[in-house]
Amino acid sequence: RDIHIAGLNVQNAQHAMVIRGFERAPIRHLTLQNCHFRQVEKPSVVEHVQQLELEQVFIADMPLLAKDIVSL
């Protein structure tokens, strides 16, 4: 709850994000700000996350928006 990550710069990664909460205990209020993932092999995995905010988050110089990430 209320997690803020800022200024993350990643050159190579299998996934930009693997964020998994639980059905009965979802992750809430997660913010990523000014994060850059240069080279990513696979899509992000986001499960049971509520209120994800992405501010200036890029994968391979393309902006990533929270609406583009499906949370199960």
Side-chain angles (χ1 to χ4, degrees), residues 25-67:
I27 295 170
R28 292 188 174 101
H29 306 280
L30 173 62
T31 302
L32 275 76
Q33 183 178 43
N34 296 322
C35 296
H36 298 268
F37 301 90
R38 304 288 178 217
Q39 196 169 18
V40 177
E41 295 177 26
K42 298 178 183 179
S44 294
V45 177
V46 178
E47 298 173 351
H48 304 293
V49 176
Q50 297 175 353
Q51 295 174 315
L52 173 65
E53 292 185 38
L54 303 177
E55 301 171 9
Q56 297 295 312
V57 176
F58 297 89
I59 294 179
D61 295 325
M62 299 294 294
L64 181 63
L65 304 174
K67 69 177 185 142

